[in-house]
Amino acid sequence: MTQAVDTFPQPRDKKCPFDPASLYNEVRRSGPRQVVNSVTGEPAWLVAGYDDARTLLVDKRLSSDIRRPGFPTFSPGIQNLVGGTFIFLDPPDHDRIRRTIAPEFTPRRVAARRPLVDAIVDELIDDLEANGSPADLVSGLSLHVPTRVIGEILGVPRADHPMIQELLMVAFRLESTVEETREATAKFVEYINGLMEAKAKAPADDLMSRLMTGPVVEGAVTLDEARDAARLLVTGGFDTTGNSIALGVLVLLERPDQLAALRADASLMPACVDEVLRYSSITQGGRRRAALEDIEVGDVTIRAGEGVIIAQDAANRDPDAFEGPDEFDIRRTPNPHLTFGLGVHACIGRSLAILEMEVTFTKLFDRLPNLRLATPLSELRWKTDSHTYGVYEAPIEW
Ligand code: HEM
């Protein structure tokens, strides 16, 4: 067996905050390599090449079931937070639960929510302007766009958002102690369960109510499965997109020529959003799987029962798949990045995340034409210690 030679995850280099850790370049060239999860001490195969990543993401011999032997756990926090949810189940249970939610997030249903997203982004930029320059991009805008949007869709009262943001931050931070994450998760579970119970008693026009009055009553999903799904949607909706919005604004501010081109031609926006997603690749914890059978990948054999970590951020910079992979190019098409995953677990919130990013970039750069960073990139605090990459604060002025 190949010896475990490195650890995962590797922190990004602060001097190149948008680039994946350079160790992954090496693994991309050499093929899958055994590494040790630095949080849990468990071994797993790290896959960093684009073709291998694409192939393995749709390989049914790999399981997403977190209870399987060899499954490379993230951190105790994430394990507790979303461990039982459908992102960590295999078909047929995964498919049955996903089917009850997926219709809410089709491109058509999401497009119909544009007025909601417009209103939320406008309101946040109104507040930014009212409070005046300088401001923090994260706590003033990027954190709240997805939180408010998914909050409206699910029916999570706005007054509770700061509490949820805090709990999720603790749970996602790799360095949180087991006790801290256990406490944060327990509070979050209790909160969601209480909210779902209230929705069942007094349904409103929101997704949590629809879950309780539809699939749960009809027996398509159990009460626990519905609660788990709601928790997963809050988690997915709250944490990820805000990071992508913040990183996108920073990347564009750092490249005035590309920002000018985007401002001059709105039709570049969809390609720009995809490029932000590829280039900044926030899911630095990778996709985790356990092998159900022996699988040959290049020169190595991943044995049944061994763990696999597919590093999408590294795959998104593979020179065999992307020309000039380390260049940020808002005109890049096609752009088959793996940031939203692939296969049965491909992100349910993809269209929503893209809409939120498009609306935020459009309105922000339009309404604040003199927007600039108030602190050099090198002085920002990056989320190298979290399952999802991003930035903790980013002072801006205009
Ligand atoms: C830029 C923002 C986002 C990124 C980068 C992202 C990324 C991902 C990725 C990589 C997966 C696949 C997981 C796997 O293969 O194991 C996934 C799944 C998922 N995402 Fe997202 N996501 C984003 C936004 C959202 C939003 C806004 C929501 C809320 C609606 C959401 C909800 C979900 C759910 C429920 C799953 C599980 C799907 C399944 O297992 O069938 N995500 N996401």
Side-chain angles (χ1 to χ4, degrees), residues 53 85 151 189-190 321-322 389 395:
T85 67
V189 170
E190 192 188 336
F322 300 96
Y389 189 63

Side-chain angles (χ1 to χ4, degrees), residues 47-70:
V47 176
Y50 182 85
D51 283 346
D52 288 343
R54 246 193 117 87
T55 307
L56 291 179
L57 280 170
V58 296
D59 192 322
K60 295 200 168 60
R61 294 171 297 171
L62 285 175
S63 167
S64 283
D65 190 335
I66 203 165
R67 298 162 302 185
R68 293 248 176 218

Side-chain angles (χ1 to χ4, degrees), residues 57 64 74 85-89 94 98 101 105 146 150 153 229 232-245 277 281-283 286-289 312 338-350 352-354 356-357 388:
L57 280 170
S64 283
F74 295 84
T85 67
F86 66 89
I87 198 167
F88 288 123
L89 293 178
H94 162 271
R98 182 174 166 126
I101 315 268
F105 294 98
I150 198 73
I153 294 174
L232 176 63
L233 286 168
V234 173
T235 309
F238 265 51
D239 191 60
T240 48
T241 321
N243 292 315
S244 297
I245 291 174
L277 288 160
S281 292
I282 56 159
T283 53
R287 308 317 334 140
R288 313 287 177 117
R289 305 289 190 260
Q312 300 138 283
L338 300 177
T339 305
F340 289 116
L342 270 185
V344 294
H345 289 282
C347 181
I348 240 177
R350 178 189 184 119
L352 185 63
I354 288 175
E356 291 171 0
M357 291 173 72
T388 313

Side-chain angles (χ1 to χ4, degrees), residues 138-196:
V138 177
S139 60
L141 181 71
S142 60
L143 181 68
H144 300 297
V145 173
T147 309
R148 290 194 187 172
V149 172
I150 198 73
E152 284 292 325
I153 294 174
L154 285 165
V156 180
R158 202 185 268 193
D160 299 336
H161 292 185
M163 181 251 311
I164 299 175
Q165 282 159 350
E166 178 60 30
L167 295 178
L168 292 180
M169 203 182 69
V170 174
F172 269 89
R173 208 173 36 215
L174 299 176
E175 282 151 18
S176 296
T177 63
V178 173
E179 206 33 62
E180 282 167 340
T181 60
R182 194 172 288 144
E183 202 182 305
T185 308
K187 280 192 190 148
F188 184 50
V189 170
E190 192 188 336
Y191 171 78
I192 296 289
N193 291 355
L195 191 56
M196 293 288 271

